[in-house]
Amino acid sequence: MDVVVVGASLAGVRTVQALRRKGLEGRVTLVGSEPHLPYDRPPLSKAFLLGEIDDSSVALLTAEQAKELEVELRLGAPATRVDRAGRAVQLEDGGRLPFDVLIAATGATPRTVPDRHPPPGVHTLRTLDDAVAVRDALAGGPRVAVVGGGFIGAEVACAARTLGLDVTVVDPAPTLMTRGLGPVLGDVMAARHRSMGVSLRTGRSVSRWRGSSRVEALLLDDGSVVAADLVVVGVGASPAVGWLHGSGLDISDGVGCDATLRATGTDDVYAVGDVARWHSTRYGGALRLEHWTSAGEQAMAVAATVTGTPTVFDSLPYVWSDQTGGRLQIFGRVLPGDEVVFVSGGPGEERFAAITGGQGALHAVVAFNALPDAMRYRKLLLQGAEWVAGRGVVQS
Ligand SMILES: Cc1cc2nc3c(=O)[nH]c(=O)nc-3n(C[C@H](O)[C@H](O)[C@H](O)COP(=O)(O)OP(=O)(O)OC[C@H]3O[C@@H](n4cnc5c(N)ncnc54)[C@H](O)[C@@H]3O)c2cc1C
């Protein structure tokens, strides 16, 4: 069996490793658009920006390990097209890779705002090259503006403050990390950022950049100006599906898949990681996650299916973020309108755990420096615990 995995990062690497562990023989090719050997992204917005680690600490797969696995690496060679009828992937460098099974692991690419070519000094943070550029810029002691107060934006803001720099975060939502945490817990984390000295301009969006040869400032929608020498835009990412245009696959918001991560309407194409939108049996609908842990778990599920054990992917979503001097962890999903009940500690404390839920069901467990407390409730989450309005989960 010839397997071609497109996307040489976390999901792709974990897939080829799992395929070999499960005894897959035959040719395995891992195709990556970046020139670097596969590396891990979470440290890029954390220890890497602080200069605590360098690129040698983020390796996911060395050339020697690839050789041992008998995986052929095609790096710096973006896939540009898929010939489904001819069962082959076309590469930008002219290569053509025939496959029996194709696995899409191309992740996501960052969005930017405002939607036009920004001046130098405006960065996104997704790749190792991006992280090197931001880290080097931080070393010059700039005034920093972060556009987007999601997880990555919040981590960048913390790193810059830890380096002693002036930092302003701009986000149209009422608080930080609203999508991941909801407004109540978002506010708790926003207060931690403020107490670190991060300036928050929430409820505001960026209308324009100021500066032509270099960025000088952001102009906000209320007419106010945020002076900045370095801008990091963290406003989310879009699934990297450009290479699948014309393939006939469903690629609206990632590659549409069934519950086993097999692309809808195919028997030889799968998707894993940030690019996969699959039918979640847990939530009873389509889901696409941009979480490190699910990328690895999906890789194992797909490897099992491809090697003959059809496996439904149904893990509990989990994401962590290191910021304001601690680790934030979310099990499950905080849904819009969720009530929040603190089960240990509380807002303003150095550690807390909270549960969120509504409409009769516990939805998420959120912990800050409080993993043991979270683990008790994670178990209840897995058991499908009931939510009682105003009280949360009632334990017998
Ligand atoms: C800065 C940062 C910090 C993060 N921190 C956390 C964290 O703390 N906790 C957490 O849970 N998650 C975190 N994440 C998310 C996590 O890193 C992702 O969920 C994970 O990287 C997904 O892996 P992936 O392999 O699906 O996609 P990606 O890591 O995006 O890899 C996809 C790869 O495919 C390549 N590719 C794209 N198009 C093509 C093509 N046409 N041909 C060939 N190759 C292609 C890309 O270049 C890329 O190397 C973070 C992400 C970033 C960017």
Side-chain angles (χ1 to χ4, degrees), residues 358-388:
Q359 293 173 342
L362 172 64
H363 292 152
V365 184
V366 179
F368 185 75
N369 282 339
L371 184 60
D373 300 319
M375 290 312 270
R376 283 193 290 133
Y377 285 89
R378 176 184 180 274
K379 203 167 155 196
L380 295 175
L381 193 54
L382 285 168
Q383 290 164 354
E386 200 184 326
W387 183 270
V388 181

mmCIF file of all heavy atoms in Angstrom, residues 358-388:
data_model
loop_
_atom_site.group_PDB
_atom_site.id
_atom_site.type_symbol
_atom_site.label_atom_id
_atom_site.label_comp_id
_atom_site.label_asym_id
_atom_site.label_seq_id
_atom_site.Cartn_x
_atom_site.Cartn_y
_atom_site.Cartn_z
ATOM 1 N N GLY A 358 -25.087 23.995 30.837
ATOM 2 C CA GLY A 358 -26.401 24.577 30.597
ATOM 3 C C GLY A 358 -27.273 23.559 29.892
ATOM 4 O O GLY A 358 -26.779 22.517 29.439
ATOM 5 N N GLN A 359 -28.552 23.860 29.819
ATOM 6 C CA GLN A 359 -29.522 22.969 29.159
ATOM 7 C C GLN A 359 -29.367 21.526 29.633
ATOM 8 O O GLN A 359 -29.403 20.576 28.844
ATOM 9 C CB GLN A 359 -29.394 23.080 27.648
ATOM 10 C CG GLN A 359 -29.818 24.465 27.195
ATOM 11 C CD GLN A 359 -29.556 24.719 25.724
ATOM 12 O OE1 GLN A 359 -28.773 24.030 25.093
ATOM 13 N NE2 GLN A 359 -30.219 25.715 25.201
ATOM 14 N N GLY A 360 -29.151 21.413 30.948
ATOM 15 C CA GLY A 360 -29.155 20.081 31.552
ATOM 16 C C GLY A 360 -27.864 19.299 31.481
ATOM 17 O O GLY A 360 -27.788 18.188 31.986
ATOM 18 N N ALA A 361 -26.823 19.863 30.863
ATOM 19 C CA ALA A 361 -25.593 19.069 30.712
ATOM 20 C C ALA A 361 -24.341 19.855 31.116
ATOM 21 O O ALA A 361 -24.238 21.056 30.850
ATOM 22 C CB ALA A 361 -25.455 18.600 29.272
ATOM 23 N N LEU A 362 -23.415 19.129 31.763
ATOM 24 C CA LEU A 362 -22.079 19.673 32.028
ATOM 25 C C LEU A 362 -21.336 19.734 30.693
ATOM 26 O O LEU A 362 -21.321 18.740 29.952
ATOM 27 C CB LEU A 362 -21.363 18.724 33.002
ATOM 28 C CG LEU A 362 -19.886 18.979 33.297
ATOM 29 C CD1 LEU A 362 -19.687 20.323 34.000
ATOM 30 C CD2 LEU A 362 -19.325 17.839 34.171
ATOM 31 N N HIS A 363 -20.754 20.883 30.371
ATOM 32 C CA HIS A 363 -20.100 21.028 29.068
ATOM 33 C C HIS A 363 -18.581 21.057 29.141
ATOM 34 O O HIS A 363 -17.913 20.571 28.237
ATOM 35 C CB HIS A 363 -20.562 22.329 28.377
ATOM 36 C CG HIS A 363 -21.983 22.312 27.960
ATOM 37 N ND1 HIS A 363 -22.755 23.446 27.847
ATOM 38 C CD2 HIS A 363 -22.810 21.277 27.637
ATOM 39 C CE1 HIS A 363 -23.974 23.119 27.459
ATOM 40 N NE2 HIS A 363 -24.038 21.820 27.334
ATOM 41 N N ALA A 364 -18.045 21.698 30.188
ATOM 42 C CA ALA A 364 -16.581 21.872 30.207
ATOM 43 C C ALA A 364 -16.058 21.993 31.626
ATOM 44 O O ALA A 364 -16.783 22.369 32.544
ATOM 45 C CB ALA A 364 -16.202 23.125 29.413
ATOM 46 N N VAL A 365 -14.784 21.663 31.768
ATOM 47 C CA VAL A 365 -14.055 21.876 33.017
ATOM 48 C C VAL A 365 -12.871 22.762 32.655
ATOM 49 O O VAL A 365 -12.120 22.457 31.720
ATOM 50 C CB VAL A 365 -13.543 20.548 33.611
ATOM 51 C CG1 VAL A 365 -12.884 20.801 34.955
ATOM 52 C CG2 VAL A 365 -14.655 19.539 33.732
ATOM 53 N N VAL A 366 -12.730 23.858 33.386
ATOM 54 C CA VAL A 366 -11.651 24.810 33.108
ATOM 55 C C VAL A 366 -10.815 24.956 34.369
ATOM 56 O O VAL A 366 -11.361 25.209 35.448
ATOM 57 C CB VAL A 366 -12.220 26.191 32.708
ATOM 58 C CG1 VAL A 366 -11.093 27.187 32.446
ATOM 59 C CG2 VAL A 366 -13.123 26.063 31.485
ATOM 60 N N ALA A 367 -9.514 24.764 34.242
ATOM 61 C CA ALA A 367 -8.662 24.854 35.426
ATOM 62 C C ALA A 367 -7.499 25.788 35.154
ATOM 63 O O ALA A 367 -6.975 25.838 34.037
ATOM 64 C CB ALA A 367 -8.134 23.474 35.785
ATOM 65 N N PHE A 368 -7.119 26.534 36.180
ATOM 66 C CA PHE A 368 -5.897 27.324 36.093
ATOM 67 C C PHE A 368 -5.019 26.880 37.254
ATOM 68 O O PHE A 368 -5.385 27.053 38.420
ATOM 69 C CB PHE A 368 -6.205 28.832 36.183
ATOM 70 C CG PHE A 368 -4.982 29.670 35.987
ATOM 71 C CD1 PHE A 368 -4.425 29.835 34.726
ATOM 72 C CD2 PHE A 368 -4.354 30.279 37.064
ATOM 73 C CE1 PHE A 368 -3.280 30.591 34.537
ATOM 74 C CE2 PHE A 368 -3.210 31.040 36.888
ATOM 75 C CZ PHE A 368 -2.675 31.192 35.614
ATOM 76 N N ASN A 369 -3.905 26.248 36.913
ATOM 77 C CA ASN A 369 -2.997 25.693 37.935
ATOM 78 C C ASN A 369 -3.718 24.743 38.883
ATOM 79 O O ASN A 369 -3.384 24.686 40.069
ATOM 80 C CB ASN A 369 -2.352 26.823 38.759
ATOM 81 C CG ASN A 369 -1.229 27.488 37.989
ATOM 82 O OD1 ASN A 369 -0.694 26.897 37.055
ATOM 83 N ND2 ASN A 369 -0.875 28.702 38.379
ATOM 84 N N ALA A 370 -4.713 24.042 38.409
ATOM 85 C CA ALA A 370 -5.520 23.215 39.319
ATOM 86 C C ALA A 370 -5.919 21.908 38.637
ATOM 87 O O ALA A 370 -7.089 21.518 38.656
ATOM 88 C CB ALA A 370 -6.755 23.991 39.770
ATOM 89 N N LEU A 371 -4.936 21.214 38.086
ATOM 90 C CA LEU A 371 -5.256 19.982 37.355
ATOM 91 C C LEU A 371 -5.936 18.916 38.225
ATOM 92 O O LEU A 371 -6.921 18.317 37.789
ATOM 93 C CB LEU A 371 -4.000 19.420 36.681
ATOM 94 C CG LEU A 371 -4.245 18.188 35.812
ATOM 95 C CD1 LEU A 371 -5.216 18.504 34.685
ATOM 96 C CD2 LEU A 371 -2.942 17.653 35.249
ATOM 97 N N PRO A 372 -5.455 18.658 39.458
ATOM 98 C CA PRO A 372 -6.116 17.596 40.239
ATOM 99 C C PRO A 372 -7.608 17.862 40.431
ATOM 100 O O PRO A 372 -8.422 16.939 40.328
ATOM 101 C CB PRO A 372 -5.369 17.630 41.579
ATOM 102 C CG PRO A 372 -4.048 18.249 41.266
ATOM 103 C CD PRO A 372 -4.302 19.219 40.165
ATOM 104 N N ASP A 373 -7.986 19.126 40.700
ATOM 105 C CA ASP A 373 -9.414 19.449 40.862
ATOM 106 C C ASP A 373 -10.158 19.208 39.555
ATOM 107 O O ASP A 373 -11.285 18.709 39.532
ATOM 108 C CB ASP A 373 -9.586 20.909 41.284
ATOM 109 C CG ASP A 373 -8.888 21.191 42.603
ATOM 110 O OD1 ASP A 373 -8.970 20.332 43.487
ATOM 111 O OD2 ASP A 373 -8.250 22.255 42.727
ATOM 112 N N ALA A 374 -9.500 19.583 38.453
ATOM 113 C CA ALA A 374 -10.154 19.428 37.149
ATOM 114 C C ALA A 374 -10.390 17.960 36.828
ATOM 115 O O ALA A 374 -11.413 17.605 36.239
ATOM 116 C CB ALA A 374 -9.291 20.071 36.070
ATOM 117 N N MET A 375 -9.457 17.102 37.218
ATOM 118 C CA MET A 375 -9.556 15.697 36.819
ATOM 119 C C MET A 375 -10.804 15.018 37.396
ATOM 120 O O MET A 375 -11.400 14.158 36.763
ATOM 121 C CB MET A 375 -8.292 14.916 37.240
ATOM 122 C CG MET A 375 -7.069 15.290 36.440
ATOM 123 S SD MET A 375 -7.328 15.319 34.659
ATOM 124 C CE MET A 375 -6.917 13.653 34.233
ATOM 125 N N ARG A 376 -11.213 15.429 38.606
ATOM 126 C CA ARG A 376 -12.423 14.835 39.196
ATOM 127 C C ARG A 376 -13.634 15.150 38.323
ATOM 128 O O ARG A 376 -14.500 14.326 38.076
ATOM 129 C CB ARG A 376 -12.660 15.395 40.604
ATOM 130 C CG ARG A 376 -11.736 14.789 41.648
ATOM 131 C CD ARG A 376 -12.211 15.138 43.017
ATOM 132 N NE ARG A 376 -12.014 16.572 43.286
ATOM 133 C CZ ARG A 376 -12.929 17.360 43.804
ATOM 134 N NH1 ARG A 376 -14.118 16.894 44.106
ATOM 135 N NH2 ARG A 376 -12.661 18.642 44.027
ATOM 136 N N TYR A 377 -13.678 16.395 37.852
ATOM 137 C CA TYR A 377 -14.839 16.821 37.056
ATOM 138 C C TYR A 377 -14.739 16.329 35.612
ATOM 139 O O TYR A 377 -15.757 16.131 34.949
ATOM 140 C CB TYR A 377 -15.002 18.341 37.141
ATOM 141 C CG TYR A 377 -15.569 18.727 38.484
ATOM 142 C CD1 TYR A 377 -14.734 18.981 39.564
ATOM 143 C CD2 TYR A 377 -16.943 18.748 38.702
ATOM 144 C CE1 TYR A 377 -15.243 19.279 40.818
ATOM 145 C CE2 TYR A 377 -17.471 19.046 39.942
ATOM 146 C CZ TYR A 377 -16.621 19.310 40.999
ATOM 147 O OH TYR A 377 -17.144 19.585 42.226
ATOM 148 N N ARG A 378 -13.513 16.127 35.152
ATOM 149 C CA ARG A 378 -13.339 15.565 33.805
ATOM 150 C C ARG A 378 -14.032 14.196 33.743
ATOM 151 O O ARG A 378 -14.662 13.857 32.743
ATOM 152 C CB ARG A 378 -11.846 15.438 33.488
ATOM 153 C CG ARG A 378 -11.540 14.782 32.175
ATOM 154 C CD ARG A 378 -10.046 14.610 31.989
ATOM 155 N NE ARG A 378 -9.750 13.970 30.730
ATOM 156 C CZ ARG A 378 -9.728 12.647 30.556
ATOM 157 N NH1 ARG A 378 -9.976 11.838 31.569
ATOM 158 N NH2 ARG A 378 -9.458 12.146 29.371
ATOM 159 N N LYS A 379 -13.884 13.446 34.826
ATOM 160 C CA LYS A 379 -14.509 12.126 34.886
ATOM 161 C C LYS A 379 -16.038 12.266 34.758
ATOM 162 O O LYS A 379 -16.681 11.527 34.010
ATOM 163 C CB LYS A 379 -14.151 11.478 36.229
ATOM 164 C CG LYS A 379 -14.231 10.004 36.254
ATOM 165 C CD LYS A 379 -13.548 9.479 37.501
ATOM 166 C CE LYS A 379 -14.110 8.128 37.884
ATOM 167 N NZ LYS A 379 -13.776 7.749 39.240
ATOM 168 N N LEU A 380 -16.583 13.260 35.462
ATOM 169 C CA LEU A 380 -18.038 13.483 35.385
ATOM 170 C C LEU A 380 -18.452 13.908 33.979
ATOM 171 O O LEU A 380 -19.520 13.545 33.482
ATOM 172 C CB LEU A 380 -18.455 14.543 36.403
ATOM 173 C CG LEU A 380 -18.255 14.159 37.881
ATOM 174 C CD1 LEU A 380 -18.574 15.330 38.791
ATOM 175 C CD2 LEU A 380 -19.133 12.961 38.236
ATOM 176 N N LEU A 381 -17.580 14.668 33.364
ATOM 177 C CA LEU A 381 -17.853 15.121 31.992
ATOM 178 C C LEU A 381 -17.941 13.908 31.058
ATOM 179 O O LEU A 381 -18.851 13.801 30.227
ATOM 180 C CB LEU A 381 -16.703 16.056 31.580
ATOM 181 C CG LEU A 381 -16.813 16.914 30.344
ATOM 182 C CD1 LEU A 381 -18.063 17.763 30.383
ATOM 183 C CD2 LEU A 381 -15.565 17.806 30.242
ATOM 184 N N LEU A 382 -16.985 12.994 31.232
ATOM 185 C CA LEU A 382 -16.975 11.792 30.391
ATOM 186 C C LEU A 382 -18.206 10.925 30.659
ATOM 187 O O LEU A 382 -18.692 10.231 29.773
ATOM 188 C CB LEU A 382 -15.706 10.975 30.661
ATOM 189 C CG LEU A 382 -14.434 11.567 30.060
ATOM 190 C CD1 LEU A 382 -13.202 10.874 30.620
ATOM 191 C CD2 LEU A 382 -14.454 11.464 28.533
ATOM 192 N N GLN A 383 -18.701 10.997 31.897
ATOM 193 C CA GLN A 383 -19.892 10.195 32.237
ATOM 194 C C GLN A 383 -21.187 10.878 31.785
ATOM 195 O O GLN A 383 -22.269 10.333 31.977
ATOM 196 C CB GLN A 383 -19.949 9.954 33.756
ATOM 197 C CG GLN A 383 -18.861 9.009 34.262
ATOM 198 C CD GLN A 383 -18.671 9.080 35.775
ATOM 199 O OE1 GLN A 383 -19.275 9.910 36.449
ATOM 200 N NE2 GLN A 383 -17.814 8.217 36.291
ATOM 201 N N GLY A 384 -21.074 12.102 31.253
ATOM 202 C CA GLY A 384 -22.271 12.813 30.791
ATOM 203 C C GLY A 384 -23.097 13.349 31.944
ATOM 204 O O GLY A 384 -24.329 13.217 31.959
ATOM 205 N N ALA A 385 -22.409 13.972 32.928
ATOM 206 C CA ALA A 385 -23.111 14.442 34.132
ATOM 207 C C ALA A 385 -24.161 15.504 33.802
ATOM 208 O O ALA A 385 -24.028 16.275 32.849
ATOM 209 C CB ALA A 385 -22.095 15.014 35.122
ATOM 210 N N GLU A 386 -25.168 15.513 34.657
ATOM 211 C CA GLU A 386 -26.289 16.449 34.489
ATOM 212 C C GLU A 386 -25.903 17.815 35.061
ATOM 213 O O GLU A 386 -25.154 17.897 36.034
ATOM 214 C CB GLU A 386 -27.469 15.884 35.292
ATOM 215 C CG GLU A 386 -28.814 16.420 34.876
ATOM 216 C CD GLU A 386 -29.905 15.887 35.798
ATOM 217 O OE1 GLU A 386 -29.785 14.737 36.251
ATOM 218 O OE2 GLU A 386 -30.834 16.652 36.068
ATOM 219 N N TRP A 387 -26.436 18.882 34.470
ATOM 220 C CA TRP A 387 -26.207 20.243 34.974
ATOM 221 C C TRP A 387 -27.498 20.763 35.598
ATOM 222 O O TRP A 387 -28.550 20.742 34.960
ATOM 223 C CB TRP A 387 -25.781 21.162 33.832
ATOM 224 C CG TRP A 387 -25.468 22.553 34.277
ATOM 225 C CD1 TRP A 387 -26.338 23.595 34.366
ATOM 226 C CD2 TRP A 387 -24.208 23.042 34.710
ATOM 227 N NE1 TRP A 387 -25.693 24.704 34.822
ATOM 228 C CE2 TRP A 387 -24.382 24.408 35.049
ATOM 229 C CE3 TRP A 387 -22.935 22.474 34.846
ATOM 230 C CZ2 TRP A 387 -23.337 25.197 35.510
ATOM 231 C CZ3 TRP A 387 -21.904 23.264 35.297
ATOM 232 C CH2 TRP A 387 -22.112 24.610 35.632
ATOM 233 N N VAL A 388 -27.392 21.224 36.826
ATOM 234 C CA VAL A 388 -28.569 21.776 37.492
ATOM 235 C C VAL A 388 -28.406 23.297 37.517
ATOM 236 O O VAL A 388 -27.426 23.807 38.080
ATOM 237 C CB VAL A 388 -28.695 21.229 38.939
ATOM 238 C CG1 VAL A 388 -29.943 21.794 39.618
ATOM 239 C CG2 VAL A 388 -28.727 19.712 38.920
#
